């Protein structure tokens, strides 16, 4: 499949990305709207995107909207809230069947995308506020959503590590806001957030499938022509290239298994700074079954139930996550430190490098296995300084040398250790 995407400027701060393909039975589209995390409106925007996805002016009840989606051959439109660096992204995602499977003339992709745009431009309002009954419903659901984050202890521990490690940085701000912020919201608050998003948010629209490019482009241009977008928000993420001091934070809960999360600064100063070498180094440290954390800390030393790491390139941090028994926490921390040191010293062979490159290459090739993969790839780069294709990233990673991996590891510094113990 051709590894390229067509980019069109729709309006100030609005970009349309079209990926034309006949390879799939379904089509995918998304509208992603980004705003700074630190403006105090995270909760309002998070609630907003769920309100927009339920109904619109033409289909004012959930039942009526569901009927309309069923008429579009079961098209689905779903909301999501994402934190990318120090930016909050609220997103509507559409999945529908390819036009060739429709029984009558017309375009399911076009009509479904038109409906999703109506959610944005024709919201279900009561004057200049969102309807009280709708707001009450979504507030209740959002509070449940926030509280449920505490049930998954692996995710909870990772979130708590971020809160502690980045407590003086915007990155620590919660993407949904807090329960208290959600409960205080009014329909007027959410309408204010809606107008700000419509006029100020950098917006990216992706369409993946087999469609009429001219008709899709004109549809989107026509909708955005009504918005006077003169003050598009600037997005920025602060990168700390090294840890100022090393801290340990402990928290006690009733657990069957302790959670250990170690937060490292990756030595990056922006999202693509030495990214290929840092990504490959992270994978060798704690990616697949060939990684040092799996082979040594988990298998050889039997110190933990799982041990892996994740690089957040949009913030330049690496998280190492592990499930351990309480009496083995200190040993596990020491062992993880040692495995990073061994990479700095070059104590890993060419076979490990080959395995890591092959794994990452397979993952990049898999982007094109589905419309969702393609949409997700380009959506994930909305806040990036440079948009790259999977082939470009694959080529860069495969060109990384052992010496560059060692150098990347040498710039990694431990910032915070978070322990959730029983």
């Amino acid at each position: 499949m051709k590894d390229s995407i067509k980019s069109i400027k729709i309006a100030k701060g609005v970009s349309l990305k079209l990926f034309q393909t006949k390879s799939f039975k379904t089509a995918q589209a998304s509208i992603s709207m980004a705003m700074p995390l630190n403006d105090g409106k995270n909760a309002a925007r998070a609630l907003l995107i769920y309100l927009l996805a339920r109904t619109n002016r033409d289909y004012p009840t959930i039942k009526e909207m569901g009927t309309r989606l069923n008429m579009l051959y079961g098209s689905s439109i779903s909301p999501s809230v994402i934190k990318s660096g120090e930016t909050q992204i609220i997103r509507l995602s559409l999945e529908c069947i390819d036009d060739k499977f429709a029984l009558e003339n017309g375009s399911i992709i076009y009509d479904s995308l038109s409906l999703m745009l109506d959610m944005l431009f024709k919201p279900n309002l009561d004057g200049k506020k969102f309807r009280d009954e709708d707001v009450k419903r979504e507030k209740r659901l959002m509070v449940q959503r926030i509280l449920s984050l505490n049930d998954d202890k692996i995710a909870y521990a990772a979130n708590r590590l971020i809160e502690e490690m980045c407590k003086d940085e915007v990155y620590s701000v919660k993407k949904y806001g807090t329960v208290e912020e959600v409960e205080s919201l009014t329909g007027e608050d959410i309408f204010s957030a809606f107008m700000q998003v419509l006029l100020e948010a950098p917006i990216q629209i992706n369409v993946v499938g087999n469609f009429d490019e001219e008709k899709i482009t004109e549809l989107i241009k026509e909708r955005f022509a009504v918005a006077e977008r003169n003050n598009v928000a600037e997005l920025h993420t602060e990168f700390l290239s090294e840890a100022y001091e090393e801290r340990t934070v402990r928290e006690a809960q009733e657990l069957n298994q302790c959670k250990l999360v170690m937060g490292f600064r990756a030595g990056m100063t922006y999202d693509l700074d030495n990214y290929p070498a840092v990504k490959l180094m992270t994978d060798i440290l704690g990616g697949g079954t060939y990684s040092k954390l799996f082979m040594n800390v988990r298998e050889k030393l039997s110190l933990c139930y799982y041990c892996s790491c994740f690089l957040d390139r949009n913030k330049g941090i690496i998280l190492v996550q592990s499930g351990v028994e309480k009496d083995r926490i200190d040993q596990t921390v020491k062992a993880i430190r040692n495995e990073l040191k061994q990479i700095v010293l070059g104590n890993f062979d060419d076979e490990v490098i080959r395995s890591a490159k092959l794994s990452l290459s397979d993952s990049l090739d898999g982007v094109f296995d589905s419309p969702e993969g393609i949409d997700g790839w380009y959506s994930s780069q909305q806040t990036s300084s440079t948009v790259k294709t999977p082939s470009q990233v694959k080529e860069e990673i495969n060109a990384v040398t052992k010496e560059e991996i060692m150098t990347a590891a040498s710039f990694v510094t431990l910032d915070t250790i978070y322990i959730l113990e029983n």
Side-chain angles (χ1 to χ4, degrees):
M1 182 181 293
K2 189 178 180 181
D3 184 7
S4 65
I5 194 163
K6 186 175 183 179
S7 186
I8 300 170
K9 181 179 179 180
I10 296 297
K12 187 174 182 180
V14 182
S15 171
L16 170 63
K17 297 189 181 299
L18 303 174
F19 197 102
Q20 190 70 248
T21 174
K22 297 181 181 180
S23 300
F24 306 115
K25 296 179 180 180
T26 60
Q28 184 85 13
S30 64
I31 305 174
S32 300
M33 298 158 279
M35 289 295 288
L37 266 174
N38 62 340
D39 67 353
K41 295 186 178 181
N42 295 336
R45 285 192 295 266
L47 214 67
L48 167 67
I49 201 64
Y50 282 90
L51 282 164
L52 295 179
R54 305 291 189 205
T55 62
N56 65 20
R57 193 186 312 155
D58 295 331
Y59 305 98
T61 68
I62 293 175
K63 182 178 179 180
E64 288 173 299
M65 180 60 74
T67 300
R68 176 56 182 154
L69 288 167
N70 286 334
M71 291 175 63
L72 292 169
Y73 294 84
S75 294
S76 64
I77 299 174
S78 56
S80 58
V81 182
I82 302 157
K83 183 164 72 171
S84 178
E86 294 175 350
T87 297
Q88 181 196 43
I89 299 175
I90 56 173
R91 190 166 184 254
L92 291 172
S93 300
L94 161 70
E95 182 179 9
C96 63
I97 66 168
D98 188 89
D99 288 345
K100 64 189 175 191
F101 296 105
L103 297 178
E104 67 272 356
N105 293 330
S107 172
I108 301 301
I109 301 172
Y110 182 93
D111 291 343
S112 298
L113 179 59
S114 180
L115 178 62
M116 185 164 67
L117 288 164
D118 282 346
M119 291 176 169
L120 180 59
F121 287 97
K122 298 168 67 176
N124 193 14
L125 301 174
D126 178 11
K128 291 190 175 183
K129 69 172 186 175
F130 282 83
R131 301 191 311 170
D132 291 340
E133 59 268 36
D134 295 340
V135 171
K136 182 178 179 180
R137 178 193 67 233
E138 294 305 325
K139 285 170 65 172
R140 175 177 55 81
L141 293 173
M142 183 59 74
V143 168
Q144 292 176 359
R145 194 173 291 115
I146 293 172
L147 293 177
S148 70
L149 296 175
N150 296 335
D151 297 335
D152 182 343
K153 295 307 178 184
I154 295 176
Y156 173 82
N159 289 333
R160 286 287 295 119
L161 179 280
I162 294 299
E163 289 177 8
E164 294 291 340
M165 178 175 172
C166 304
K167 64 180 181 180
D168 297 322
E169 301 163 64
V170 176
Y171 191 68
S172 64
V173 175
K174 296 177 171 63
K175 67 177 182 179
Y176 292 131
T178 65
V179 169
E180 293 74 21
E181 289 169 339
V182 169
E183 290 179 335
S184 70
L185 289 172
T186 64
E188 289 86 355
D189 295 331
I190 302 170
F191 179 79
S192 175
F194 164 69
M195 292 303 299
Q196 184 188 42
V197 165
L198 193 61
L199 301 179
E200 299 179 18
I203 298 174
Q204 180 173 310
I205 304 160
N206 297 342
V207 185
V208 181
N210 183 24
F211 49 84
D212 186 319
E213 289 188 8
E214 185 176 347
K215 284 186 65 177
I216 292 292
T217 302
E218 287 305 310
L219 169 67
I220 295 170
K221 282 185 175 179
E222 177 186 324
R223 298 302 175 90
F224 277 94
V226 302
E228 297 181 6
R229 296 173 52 83
N230 298 318
N231 299 300
V232 177
E234 294 185 4
L235 306 176
H236 173 73
T237 294
E238 178 186 9
F239 281 73
L240 299 183
S241 59
E242 62 180 333
Y244 295 138
E245 63 175 338
E246 185 180 308
R247 301 170 55 242
T248 298
V249 178
R250 292 178 178 267
E251 182 178 347
Q253 290 188 11
E254 290 187 10
L255 301 167
N256 294 324
Q257 180 188 110
C258 299
K259 308 301 178 188
L260 166 67
V261 190
M262 299 172 67
F264 298 82
R265 303 288 178 175
M268 302 171 72
T269 56
Y270 67 102
D271 64 312
L272 295 179
D273 182 16
N274 202 29
Y275 171 71
V278 177
K279 178 65 175 177
L280 190 56
M281 178 272 297
T282 304
D283 198 66
I284 289 171
L285 176 62
T289 55
Y290 48 81
S291 70
K292 296 181 78 63
L293 294 183
F294 182 88
M295 292 292 292
N296 296 328
V297 179
R298 182 183 183 275
E299 295 295 299
K300 184 178 179 179
L301 298 176
S302 299
L303 288 174
C304 53
Y305 299 100
Y306 63 87
C307 194
S308 62
C309 63
F310 162 75
L311 167 66
D312 185 346
R313 76 169 195 193
N314 292 312
K315 180 59 180 174
I317 61 176
I318 297 170
L319 300 189
V320 174
Q321 297 177 272
S322 183
V324 298
E325 294 296 335
K326 190 171 184 177
D327 60 357
R328 294 188 173 185
I329 290 175
D330 291 342
Q331 289 176 275
T332 305
V333 169
K334 183 178 179 180
I336 292 170
R337 289 179 189 269
N338 181 61
E339 294 306 327
L340 178 61
K341 182 180 179 181
Q342 295 308 309
I343 297 179
V344 176
L345 296 174
N347 293 329
F348 55 100
D349 57 32
D350 291 341
E351 181 60 27
V352 172
I353 299 174
R354 190 194 69 81
S355 296
K357 286 183 175 181
L358 182 61
S359 175
L360 294 175
S361 294
D362 286 345
S363 178
L364 290 163
D365 289 339
V367 167
F368 296 103
D369 288 347
S370 68
E372 297 89 345
I374 298 168
D375 177 34
W377 174 265
Y378 288 101
S379 293
S380 69
Q381 298 185 78
Q382 183 176 359
T383 60
S384 182
S385 54
T386 302
V387 176
K388 295 190 176 185
T389 67
S391 292
Q392 288 173 316
V393 176
K394 178 180 174 179
E395 183 178 346
E396 291 172 351
I397 287 175
N398 284 330
V400 174
T401 66
K402 181 174 183 177
E403 290 71 23
E404 289 171 333
I405 296 169
M406 294 164 58
T407 300
S410 71
F411 285 107
V412 175
T413 52
L414 179 57
D415 189 300
T416 303
I417 300 170
Y418 173 80
I419 300 165
L420 183 63
E421 57 190 351
N422 47 27

